[in-house]
Amino acid sequence: MKKLIILGSTGSIGTQALDIVRANPDKYTVTALAAGSNAALLEAQAREFKPVVVALFDEKAADDLKIKLADTDIKVLSGADGVCALATSEGDMVLNAIVGIAGLRPTLAAIEAGKTIALANKETLVTGGEIVNRKLKEKGVKLLPVDSEHSAIFQSLQGAPCGSLKKIILTASGGPFFGKTRNELQNVTVKEALNHPNWSMGAKITIDSATLMNKGLEVIEAVHLFGVPASRIEVTVHRQSILHSAVELSDGAVIAQLGTPDMKLPIQYALTYPERDMCFESLDLFKVGMLTFERPDMDTFRLLPLCIEAINRGGLYPTAINGANEESVKLFLEGKIKFLQIAELNEKAMNMCENKSDFTVEDIFAADAAARAVVRESI
Ligand code: NDP
Ligand code: MG
């Protein structure tokens, strides 16, 4: 029995992880569940999976949950500290499926407590990659990628000799606006941006997929996970989302992982690694018929090259563009800015970042706050 701590259990990744647990009651137990503010769903999950402890970031929602769960002996924690404490509670593995930089501190707390990490929260590595990698080494802790592309890269590298990775081929679906011109993107609506062709995901990452910010964040994530510079990561638009990414090895062999676009496989692989488990849906290549690969349009979708610039500049630049993006996506979802303003605001905030090459977690949160302020004050 593997004891799981799931952070972000009410979200897209979190609920799919719980589907896996539900299908395998003999393999997993859930010891802890945390979310942001969704007390109703967390209550239902707590009653079904019977964890020892639950937490909500939102203090008021946590008070509400405490009342709802008063007839059980499940402990209820609250606030950012409560979520971090829960990440270090009894359990073998922490699945971090929180959205945004809010996931960074819980990841660090879990590593400190020696827990194996299954990481969906890419913002952890985008903002704190250097610190996380140092801590993983220091504590001898394993971190397994859940993001489908990074899971594919990780799977493709199984058995590859150390030092043989020449290039990463990172695939992108292209999102709902692939092929559109800047002019055509002027007035796109929130509804259109949320209409992803292949994946059903949380709102923030769906908008990031429409702007290609998600692919930019994933380049930075790959730099930290696999120790290669951005210059050795090639982004290719692959509309079918069947080839989830690939690696080119020193002898020119290209190894890829293919599958249906279903996050359950990468989530499950992180939970069972190095073992393999049940199959949710077989890939039928005859049904797929054709796999296509095209270059991304870096002029229209500026956030991809801007993220590459951020990681090449290093230091706090990735944190700045990530923080600005969290803020501008929120404003876009609230209907307060236009689609193309997301990239403009992110670029402005990144360029105003006061960089430090050697930085602490506090510096990261200060850079994040400064970038968010630039965005808010610019509209
Ligand atoms: P969702 O928006 O669907 O879910 C986010 C989860 O995080 C919810 O449970 C939410 O709780 C919780 N949450 C938000 N803020 C906090 C906080 N401060 N403290 C604790 N919990 C919090 O997002 P996704 O599941 O789509 O994405 C989660 C992460 O996984 C992101 O980093 C994303 O980039 C990454 N990812 C997602 C993929 C996908 O297919 N969805 C694919 C690859 C990566 P509440 O419901 O209460 O708000
Ligand atoms: Mg991905």
Side-chain angles (χ1 to χ4, degrees), residues 8 10-13 35-38 57 97-98 120 122-123 147 201-202 263:
T10 55
S12 164
I13 294 286
S37 61
N38 190 342
F57 169 76
I98 292 175
K122 60 191 81 184
E123 296 89 346
D147 209 346
M201 310 178 284
M263 282 307 295

Side-chain angles (χ1 to χ4, degrees), residues 122 124-133 136 143 145 147 149-150 153 157 165 167-170 214-235 304 307-315 318:
K122 60 191 81 184
T124 281
L125 290 175
V126 169
T127 58
E130 292 86 354
I131 295 173
V132 167
N133 278 336
L136 288 171
L143 184 146
D147 209 346
E149 296 79 359
H150 304 76
I153 295 160
L157 284 172
L165 174 60
K167 188 170 98 182
I168 287 173
I169 300 166
L170 187 69
N214 183 50
K215 215 41 61 180
L217 295 175
E218 289 186 355
V219 169
I220 302 174
E221 185 184 11
V223 165
H224 292 300
L225 278 171
F226 305 108
V228 296
S231 57
R232 286 206 271 143
I233 301 174
E234 182 175 71
V235 174
L304 174 56
C307 282
I308 294 170
E309 188 187 326
I311 186 65
N312 286 339
R313 287 165 92 175

Side-chain angles (χ1 to χ4, degrees), residues 82-112:
V83 175
C84 280
L86 178 137
T88 67
S89 64
E90 203 213 326
D92 305 311
M93 180 181 247
V94 173
L95 168 64
N96 187 345
I98 292 175
V99 61
I101 195 174
L104 175 59
R105 280 205 172 101
T107 303
L108 291 170
I111 298 171
E112 194 65 48

Side-chain angles (χ1 to χ4, degrees), residues 105 109 236 267 291 337:
R105 280 205 172 101
T236 164
I267 297 169
L291 301 179
I337 62 170

Side-chain angles (χ1 to χ4, degrees), residues 15-32:
T15 51
Q16 292 182 81
L18 288 173
D19 289 343
I20 295 171
V21 173
R22 195 179 286 114
N24 295 280
D26 52 325
K27 294 186 187 122
Y28 307 106
T29 65
V30 173
T31 53

Side-chain angles (χ1 to χ4, degrees), residues 166-188:
K166 196 164 120 196
K167 188 170 98 182
I168 287 173
I169 300 166
L170 187 69
T171 53
S173 72
F177 301 140
F178 177 71
K180 292 221 182 301
T181 61
R182 274 185 73 78
N183 209 20
E184 288 168 327
L185 292 176
Q186 295 283 359
N187 294 313
V188 291

